[in-house]
Amino acid sequence: MASTFPTAPDKHTLEHGETLSPRFDANGLIAAVATNADSGEVLMFAWMNAEALGLTLATGEAHYFSRSRGELWRKGATSGQVQRVVEARIDCDQDAVWLKVLPQGDGGACHTGARSCFYRVIKDGKLVERP
Amino acid sequence: MASTFPTAPDKHTLEHGETLSPRFDANGLIAAVATNADSGEVLMFAWMNAEALGLTLATGEAHYFSRSRGELWRKGATSGQVQRVVEARIDCDQDAVWLKVLPQGDGGACHTGARSCFYRVIKDGKLVERP
């Protein structure tokens, strides 16, 4: 399992190298954003530890780390909203991952039942629900 | 300036209320994802403190907080890559913001010169640059 990762030796290698060298934070986590591979909609924001990132890359299904539960979490394990990963990207300084996914099950991603976790627009300082 | 925000009294209000109640972390930060309002491409992942979020909403231009420099940062102040905010959303548990932006200047978002910070795909464990 690719659940340990090297550290980039310098900034140039970090930003332009071909070695995956994620920079986990003090809690061992890296940010992850999932978008719908078809529509481009941002579905959710979550965290991954090294194991979650390794499992995501190895299985092609999104795994995250729940900070509130303190445990690895295979997205959809209970909800059925498994996320098939079409493409995984990492950003310039390797502290954020972008997953393009195809949501399975009912096609949703949010525990509230919404299709995306970002179901509220900030409008004149208030939150307005929008599909 | 709306740079102080209330705390939601309970989970239901947090997830379904109309009051913006961002949950800043122990460092006073909230995650922010910016996508191109036209193409949907994820441009960057960054952080906001309350002041950055307040200024973003008040001015319609993206402001972030640089963890490495420890300071508020108006995106594009030096690069010209100002981000005009078309829409701002917040997620279910109000710990992440999604900005749909129109990048000004040369249209890019990344300090490396790339259009998006996510210019590398993770492919068979290696990073491959892709437009």
Side-chain angles (χ1 to χ4, degrees):
Chain A
M1 290 306 311
S3 55
T4 58
F5 297 94
T7 300
D10 55 58
K11 189 160 181 276
H12 183 80
T13 306
L14 181 72
E15 295 183 347
H16 297 287
E18 63 171 19
T19 302
L20 178 60
S21 312
R23 294 196 307 128
F24 298 100
D25 67 13
N27 298 312
L29 302 176
I30 192 171
V33 178
T35 62
N36 184 304
D38 287 331
S39 70
E41 183 179 33
V42 176
L43 297 174
M44 58 185 284
F45 171 80
W47 296 91
M48 291 176 166
N49 61 0
E51 187 180 7
L53 178 57
L55 283 168
T56 297
L57 297 176
T59 66
E61 292 183 350
H63 290 66
Y64 301 104
F65 184 84
S66 168
R67 294 186 304 173
S68 56
R69 296 195 305 273
E71 65 181 20
L72 184 80
W73 160 47
R74 176 177 160 263
K75 176 68 180 170
T78 54
S79 68
Q81 297 173 331
V82 169
Q83 296 180 335
R84 283 180 43 208
V85 178
V86 173
E87 186 178 274
R89 290 181 175 242
I90 198 155
D91 73 344
C92 45
D93 60 356
Q94 301 205 38
D95 68 355
V97 171
W98 170 17
L99 301 180
K100 298 181 186 178
V101 305
L102 294 173
Q104 307 297 300
D106 64 6
C110 185
H111 75 285
T112 63
R115 190 182 61 224
S116 159
C117 294
F118 293 87
Y119 51 83
R120 287 175 296 184
V121 172
I122 309 172
K123 184 83 180 159
D124 301 326
K126 291 286 179 188
L127 303 183
V128 183
E129 295 205 13
R130 293 267 178 84
Chain B
M1 290 307 313
S3 55
T4 58
F5 298 94
T7 300
D10 55 57
K11 188 160 182 277
H12 183 80
T13 306
L14 182 72
E15 294 183 347
H16 297 287
E18 62 171 20
T19 302
L20 178 60
S21 313
R23 294 197 306 127
F24 298 100
D25 68 13
N27 298 312
L29 302 177
I30 192 170
V33 178
T35 62
N36 184 303
D38 286 332
S39 70
E41 183 179 30
V42 177
L43 297 175
M44 58 184 284
F45 170 79
W47 296 92
M48 291 176 168
N49 62 0
E51 187 180 7
L53 178 58
L55 283 169
T56 298
L57 298 175
T59 66
E61 292 183 350
H63 291 65
Y64 301 103
F65 184 83
S66 167
R67 294 187 304 174
S68 56
R69 296 194 303 272
E71 64 181 21
L72 183 79
W73 160 47
R74 174 174 161 264
K75 176 68 180 172
T78 53
S79 68
Q81 297 173 333
V82 169
Q83 296 181 337
R84 284 181 42 210
V85 178
V86 174
E87 186 178 272
R89 291 181 173 243
I90 198 157
D91 73 342
C92 45
D93 60 356
Q94 300 205 37
D95 68 355
V97 170
W98 170 18
L99 301 180
K100 298 182 186 178
V101 305
L102 295 174
Q104 307 298 299
D106 66 3
C110 185
H111 75 285
T112 62
R115 191 181 61 224
S116 159
C117 293
F118 293 88
Y119 52 82
R120 286 175 296 185
V121 171
I122 308 172
K123 183 83 181 160
D124 301 326
K126 291 287 178 188
L127 303 184
V128 183
E129 296 204 13
R130 291 269 178 82

